[in-house]
Amino acid sequence: MARRHGVLPHVAWATKIHETVSCFLGPESSARSGGGHGPGSRGRGLDSDVASGFWVGCVKVVSWAYLASYALSMAGNSLAGVVLPLVVLQVTGSAWGAGIVAGAAVVPAVLAGLFTGVVIDRIDRRTASVLADVVSAAAIGILPLVELVGELSLGWFVASALLGSLGDVPGLTAREALLPAVVRHGGMGVERLTGLRESLGALAMLVGPAAAGGLMALYGGAAVLWITAAASLAAALVTLLIPRGVGANDGLAGPPRLREGWTALTRSPFLLAVTGLSLAALLVLVAFQALILPVSFVDRPGFLGLVLSAMALGALVGGAVYAMAGSRGPRRAWFVSGMAGVTAGVVLMAVPSAGSVLAGSFTVGLSSGLFNGLLGVLMIERTPEEARGRIMGIQNAMMTAAAPVAIFAAAALTEAAGTDTAAAVLTAVWVVAAAAALRSRALRTLEEGTAVEEVRP
């Protein structure tokens, strides 16, 4: 009886601690310690360790750690998107200051997205994700730290934006490049994982702005900046729970070069089609959210918040639906349904009526949750593994550069022809893009193992 209630519980706890530490450090730690939970063989690779049973406990950690780190990172971005402009306005008293800070990060973010893809393909993608989150945390954390010891100025905000540009887009790229390894080693179905990721991102976008406003009212800007930095740092720490070796890129034959990623992207009809479709969606939706709707409802300043909340709520539902049912039914049906829903939503958003815009925003979000979940699965399956970081870095750089272009073009069109005409033109742009995507041969056969081409750099 003493052995049962005295010694054995201690042994069980010691075993649990050993397994947790081994999961964190990787299979090498068990081999060095002489643990009996796996083959004890260095160099056999992570897949063989999973097969032999060593990683059985770690399998549960991989997917949930990835999702938790993604949610924390998105929460930090959502908080920063609201808090930073408000703090800049409080400190500088000028809207120009907020514009300068926002504009200062665009070009560095585009360049960082392009060139850090090369680094992500060279080093362990888990490590790249952790480093990017640490940089993002430092970029925000430096502001309240300066306020503690001195006085904030516009220059400090610009410096923070420049530093943050080295973490935000590279962090997004690293986390996306890590996703296939999480699917391989995490024990969670790819549709469920991508659907949950979309839902968590939507939840962060839904809750973040309201939380930022409430925290600002309760504690002030400096405290909320600490919280924002803590979210990014927590994302880095949670990513460290993913075992070492997950995300390692062993497929490179030599030093990675950016042009190889560009070649792989431009020679793949699938990747070109997805990139073009994503750019079209971003151009249209950013133009609506940042310019058309604010101008149309200028007398209702709180309405834009409702629009964004409706879209985030729709994406939350759409992602959850895809997580639960995405593995059922033909993928082409999911794709067509998502495209039709986004098109219907954009048409509704172009109608100058508050009810129509809210309904359209929810429909766009709902359909995007389905559509983005499927695209995430396809990108995992059809992107060359050895060039994944560079390809996604180029795509994310394009998206970053396209957002201000969309706002400028919508502003020029609105100034020249009015908001109704601008909304009609944007709707036409999306309808053409959607029709082209539905007719595209590269997006016609979407089932696993049925890609029409397989391109390598």
Side-chain angles (χ1 to χ4, degrees):
M1 199 69 160
R3 280 178 54 83
R4 184 176 180 182
H5 295 287
V7 177
L8 290 184
H10 289 81
V11 173
W13 276 109
T15 302
K16 277 291 183 186
I17 292 171
H18 171 74
E19 289 175 349
T20 302
V21 173
S22 297
C23 181
F24 172 72
L25 294 177
E28 296 88 347
S29 63
S30 182
R32 287 192 298 268
S33 64
H37 302 283
S41 171
R42 298 185 63 175
R44 287 187 56 181
L46 191 54
D47 287 322
S48 62
D49 286 317
V50 173
S52 65
F54 176 79
W55 287 104
V56 168
C58 300
V59 161
K60 297 178 181 179
V61 173
V62 173
S63 295
W64 292 111
Y66 178 86
L67 290 171
S69 69
Y70 180 81
L72 287 165
S73 182
M74 292 297 292
N77 290 342
S78 182
L79 289 171
V82 175
V83 172
L84 270 179
L86 292 177
V87 174
V88 172
L89 287 171
Q90 288 176 355
V91 171
T92 66
S94 169
W96 276 109
I100 290 171
V101 171
V106 173
V107 173
V110 171
L111 294 176
L114 284 174
F115 293 106
T116 55
V118 177
V119 178
I120 290 168
D121 278 339
R122 167 50 59 190
I123 68 174
D124 185 290
R125 289 162 180 171
R126 165 186 176 268
T127 302
S129 182
V130 170
L131 291 176
D133 281 327
V134 170
V135 170
S136 295
I140 298 296
I142 194 174
L143 296 175
L145 186 61
V146 168
E147 189 177 51
L148 281 177
V149 300
E151 185 177 356
L152 282 173
S153 64
L154 181 60
W156 281 111
F157 288 110
V158 171
S160 171
L162 292 174
L163 180 60
S165 68
L166 300 178
D168 294 341
V169 178
L172 175 64
T173 302
R175 197 166 272 109
E176 289 177 345
L178 178 61
L179 185 57
V182 173
V183 172
R184 287 195 300 271
H185 303 302
M188 184 181 290
V190 62
E191 289 86 3
R192 185 184 180 199
L193 184 61
T194 57
L196 287 174
R197 189 181 70 157
E198 291 302 315
S199 290
L200 288 171
L203 182 62
M205 294 298 103
L206 180 65
V207 175
L215 290 170
M216 285 284 290
L218 288 173
Y219 302 112
V224 184
L225 287 174
W226 282 121
I227 294 171
T228 305
S232 293
L233 185 59
L237 295 175
V238 172
T239 303
L240 285 174
L241 295 175
I242 298 174
R244 288 174 58 188
V246 174
N249 187 6
D250 300 324
L252 287 175
R257 291 182 289 271
L258 180 61
R259 69 171 179 269
E260 293 170 346
W262 181 257
T263 299
L265 175 61
T266 55
R267 290 184 180 177
S268 167
F270 168 76
L271 293 175
L272 281 177
V274 168
T275 303
L277 185 59
S278 300
L279 279 171
L282 182 138
L283 288 168
V284 171
L285 294 179
V286 165
F288 265 109
Q289 293 174 11
L291 199 104
I292 304 297
L293 295 181
V295 172
S296 299
F297 297 93
V298 66
D299 56 334
R300 299 175 62 178
F303 182 70
L304 185 60
L306 291 176
V307 169
L308 297 177
S309 296
M311 192 172 293
L313 181 60
L316 175 63
V317 174
V321 169
Y322 190 77
M324 292 185 293
S327 60
R328 305 171 191 169
R331 289 179 177 180
R332 177 70 179 179
W334 286 101
F335 180 70
V336 172
S337 299
M339 293 297 295
V342 172
T343 303
V346 170
V347 171
L348 287 172
M349 288 175 65
V351 177
S353 159
S356 177
V357 169
L358 283 175
S361 299
F362 179 83
T363 304
V364 167
L366 175 66
S367 304
S368 296
L370 305 176
F371 172 73
N372 290 334
L374 174 60
L375 282 190
V377 173
L378 294 172
M379 288 294 290
I380 290 172
E381 295 174 353
R382 303 190 181 187
T383 302
E385 182 63 27
E386 66 273 14
R388 189 177 297 275
R390 283 162 287 173
I391 291 170
M392 292 184 166
I394 292 169
Q395 289 176 325
N396 289 331
M398 288 180 176
M399 303 300 167
T400 303
V405 172
I407 297 171
F408 179 82
L413 187 57
T414 300
E415 192 67 26
T419 54
D420 291 345
T421 301
V425 170
L426 289 171
T427 303
V429 168
W430 173 251
V431 169
V432 170
L438 290 171
R439 290 176 58 86
S440 170
R441 181 169 174 262
L443 296 176
R444 196 172 299 162
T445 307
L446 302 178
E447 299 305 320
E448 186 176 4
T450 59
V452 296
E453 88 294 328
E454 188 174 348
V455 177
R456 290 293 182 266

